[in-house]
Amino acid sequence: MKLVIAVVQDQDSNRLSNALTKGNFRATKLASTGGFLRAGNTTFLIGTEDQLVPKVLELIKDNCRSREQMVAPVSPMGGNADSYIPYPVEVEVGGATVFIMPIEQFHHF
Amino acid sequence: MKLVIAVVQDQDSNRLSNALTKGNFRATKLASTGGFLRAGNTTFLIGTEDQLVPKVLELIKDNCRSREQMVAPVSPMGGNADSYIPYPVEVEVGGATVFIMPIEQFHHF
Amino acid sequence: MKLVIAVVQDQDSNRLSNALTKGNFRATKLASTGGFLRAGNTTFLIGTEDQLVPKVLELIKDNCRSREQMVAPVSPMGGNADSYIPYPVEVEVGGATVFIMPIEQFHHF
Ligand code: NI
Ligand code: NI
Ligand code: NI
């Protein structure tokens, strides 16, 4: 058994949850902030058999990978709306930081 | 030293806290959701000497074990109250998922 | 790589965050309560290279060490204000409990 600790952005959290459930993996979610990623993230604790670790990593990668996204800019509050041209802006979203930890014992009561 | 990570249902959380304190164990509690157990659970981090791990496991088992419980059903909202017979329903409550993790160093400042 | 899990008092949390960022360490913060320290604490997850573990420990020690602090007592609510002499009281604040955990794999997507 291994414990997979994955820190992912909140916006990818539900999609990863669903993918893990569909793959028969069980995860506990902790609300977390800052640091590894921009503020507002979720820390997943996923206990799994050794041979399924690559499958968990694949699910995390597929659902949380860092990628570019075109975002409509926020219109200027109280600004000169006539001269405002809303160029979409490319921002980096997603990303995951993952630790695979050894487990000495696993119990379920 | 080991780090015991235990995910338990919220309804068993206070009882386990008290039992750990009484047994001179120190625990940090993290609010968590989903996955290992039904939504609304608490993740305990318990640092302990190797030889006391069985005692911690016993406390978790005694206070959080999965068990059947008779629950009075919720009365039907706006339903036909005359024909409503409130049979108690047996549901499974409690349960704990526990990981025993190796620690390389422990410090207290 | 190691995973440093540090439980510190809320009042030291921001100072430690800033010190870690300044030192180029990345940390994820989890809101936690009770146990190792008095209620209201923060659990830091800090992934770091083996050779930098002493530097992380030094930052935690410098920013969170348990120390005595003089605290002005709360004035008695509705008490006899004339006879009330506000002696400052010495209380212990801060403190950190730190676990250094082995990591088998580290991934960043
Ligand atoms: Ni990144
Ligand atoms: Ni179960
Ligand atoms: Ni202490």
Side-chain angles (χ1 to χ4, degrees):
Chain A
M1 288 282 297
K2 302 293 178 212
L3 178 64
V4 179
I5 301 180
V7 184
V8 313
Q9 273 204 311
D10 280 344
Q11 64 177 69
D12 295 337
S13 173
N14 274 340
R15 194 170 48 212
L16 178 58
S17 273
N18 293 339
L20 288 168
T21 301
K22 210 171 152 183
N24 279 319
F25 294 103
R26 284 154 163 231
T28 292
K29 287 181 278 183
L30 306 165
S32 51
T33 54
F36 292 122
L37 300 166
R38 289 151 294 275
N41 47 53
T42 301
T43 297
F44 283 74
L45 304 182
I46 308 155
T48 186
E49 301 295 330
D50 294 35
Q51 72 270 22
L52 291 175
V53 167
K55 181 63 189 165
V56 173
L57 288 172
E58 193 193 314
L59 290 176
I60 296 169
K61 197 174 171 181
D62 287 352
N63 289 284
C64 309
R65 188 170 12 200
S66 179
R67 66 263 180 202
E68 305 293 320
Q69 200 172 64
M70 298 307 284
V71 174
V74 179
S75 68
M77 290 274 290
N80 186 344
D82 291 336
S83 65
Y84 175 71
I85 304 166
Y87 289 110
V89 177
E90 197 177 69
V91 295
E92 199 188 331
V93 296
T97 299
V98 187
F99 304 99
I100 313 294
M101 318 284 293
I103 294 176
E104 291 192 355
Q105 298 176 43
F106 171 74
H107 298 274
H108 187 74
F109 300 120
Chain B
M1 287 283 296
K2 301 294 177 212
L3 179 64
V4 179
I5 301 181
V7 184
V8 312
Q9 272 203 312
D10 281 343
Q11 64 179 69
D12 295 337
S13 172
N14 275 340
R15 196 172 46 215
L16 178 58
S17 273
N18 293 340
L20 288 167
T21 302
K22 211 170 150 184
N24 278 319
F25 294 103
R26 284 152 163 233
T28 292
K29 287 182 277 183
L30 306 164
S32 52
T33 54
F36 292 121
L37 300 166
R38 289 152 294 275
N41 47 52
T42 302
T43 297
F44 282 74
L45 305 181
I46 307 155
T48 186
E49 300 296 330
D50 294 35
Q51 73 270 23
L52 292 175
V53 167
K55 180 65 189 164
V56 173
L57 288 172
E58 192 193 314
L59 290 176
I60 296 169
K61 198 174 171 183
D62 288 351
N63 288 283
C64 309
R65 189 171 12 200
S66 179
R67 69 263 179 201
E68 305 294 321
Q69 200 171 66
M70 298 307 283
V71 174
V74 179
S75 68
M77 289 274 291
N80 186 345
D82 291 336
S83 65
Y84 175 70
I85 304 167
Y87 290 109
V89 177
E90 197 177 66
V91 296
E92 199 190 332
V93 296
T97 299
V98 187
F99 304 99
I100 313 295
M101 318 283 294
I103 294 177
E104 291 192 356
Q105 298 175 44
F106 171 74
H107 298 274
H108 187 73
F109 299 121
Chain C
M1 288 283 296
K2 301 294 177 213
L3 179 63
V4 180
I5 301 180
V7 184
V8 312
Q9 273 204 310
D10 280 344
Q11 65 179 66
D12 295 336
S13 172
N14 273 341
R15 195 171 47 213
L16 178 57
S17 273
N18 293 340
L20 289 168
T21 301
K22 209 171 152 186
N24 280 318
F25 294 104
R26 284 152 163 234
T28 292
K29 287 181 278 184
L30 306 165
S32 52
T33 53
F36 291 122
L37 299 166
R38 287 151 294 275
N41 48 51
T42 302
T43 297
F44 283 74
L45 305 181
I46 308 155
T48 185
E49 302 294 331
D50 293 34
Q51 71 272 21
L52 292 175
V53 167
K55 180 64 188 164
V56 172
L57 288 172
E58 191 192 315
L59 291 176
I60 297 170
K61 197 174 171 182
D62 287 352
N63 288 284
C64 309
R65 188 168 15 197
S66 179
R67 68 262 179 202
E68 305 292 321
Q69 201 173 63
M70 298 307 283
V71 175
V74 180
S75 67
M77 290 273 290
N80 186 343
D82 292 335
S83 65
Y84 175 69
I85 305 168
Y87 290 108
V89 177
E90 196 176 68
V91 296
E92 200 188 329
V93 296
T97 299
V98 187
F99 303 100
I100 313 293
M101 318 284 293
I103 294 176
E104 291 192 356
Q105 298 176 44
F106 171 74
H107 297 274
H108 187 73
F109 300 120

